[in-house]
Amino acid sequence: MERIEEYYPHALLQRFGDTVAAAGKQAVAAVEDVIGRLDALDPEMLDTPVAPGKWTALEVVDHLQRVTELYVHGLARVRRGQEPFRTEKGFIAEDGGLVVNLPEVEPGDGLTLEGVTVTLRRSTLRLIEAAAAAEAEGLKDAVVNMNPFFGELTPLGSVQMAALHARHHIRRHLARAS
């Protein structure tokens, strides 16, 4: 795997809205698209890898939720006066996939359709609320998270990233499964 050299431009994130409220709507819409795709799958497909060597559809959604919770955690840290959660630059796999070596975002075990959908919706709303609160506290321009592919993220950038991340996994993994 090759480590990325330069972070991706933030212009890719900006298309998901220029306010937390607008980006939040995009993130919620992306999450609902993910959930709609899961609901459309035959039940046995939920636990089948979306492609050889890849996660199952339930694992993809659990991963989305875990990354979103990581962003919520980063926001909380900065709101308490601590440093943001920082990650190293990510990697690009031979198949062009983006790879991060963070155990915190690896899917868990015993996943259910209801469980992953409830937690993804909940964590997305928590992120939007935390970003809005951080901005209200004067942290609009503060770095609250460090993304392995986009670098430093503000509260708004964290919500934009949640929308982009969900759309990325729809294109890369869930579109194949449906």
Side-chain angles (χ1 to χ4, degrees), residues 108-126:
D109 297 321
L111 302 174
T112 65
L113 176 60
E114 181 181 4
V116 298
T117 58
V118 166
T119 57
L120 180 58
R121 281 182 175 129
R122 187 179 304 138
S123 63
T124 301
L125 294 177
R126 284 174 26 105

Side-chain angles (χ1 to χ4, degrees), residues 7 17 19 26-27 34 41-43 54 56 73 82 106 117 121 131 156 161 163:
Y7 287 116
T19 66
Q26 291 289 324
V34 165
L41 291 176
D42 290 327
K54 300 293 182 185
T56 69
H73 173 72
Q82 298 173 304
E106 292 290 319
T117 58
R121 281 182 175 129
L156 170 59
M161 189 63 225

Side-chain angles (χ1 to χ4, degrees), residues 52-97:
K54 300 293 182 185
W55 291 330
T56 69
L58 290 178
E59 289 172 332
V60 168
V61 177
D62 190 49
H63 162 75
L64 287 172
Q65 182 272 328
R66 289 171 184 267
V67 170
T68 302
E69 281 299 321
L70 194 66
Y71 292 151
V72 172
H73 173 72
L75 275 156
R77 286 177 55 89
V78 173
R79 290 175 67 199
R80 290 191 306 264
Q82 298 173 304
E83 288 293 313
F85 182 77
R86 297 195 178 268
T87 58
E88 294 183 13
K89 288 181 180 173
F91 296 90
I92 300 177
E94 290 180 19
D95 69 354

Side-chain angles (χ1 to χ4, degrees), residues 121-163:
R121 281 182 175 129
R122 187 179 304 138
S123 63
T124 301
L125 294 177
R126 284 174 26 105
L127 174 62
I128 296 164
E129 291 167 1
E135 283 195 353
E137 294 166 3
L139 297 171
K140 181 177 183 176
D141 297 320
V143 173
V144 296
N145 284 297
M146 186 65 139
N147 181 272
F149 299 100
F150 286 87
E152 296 180 338
L153 299 177
T154 62
L156 170 59
S158 298
V159 178
Q160 292 167 327
M161 189 63 225

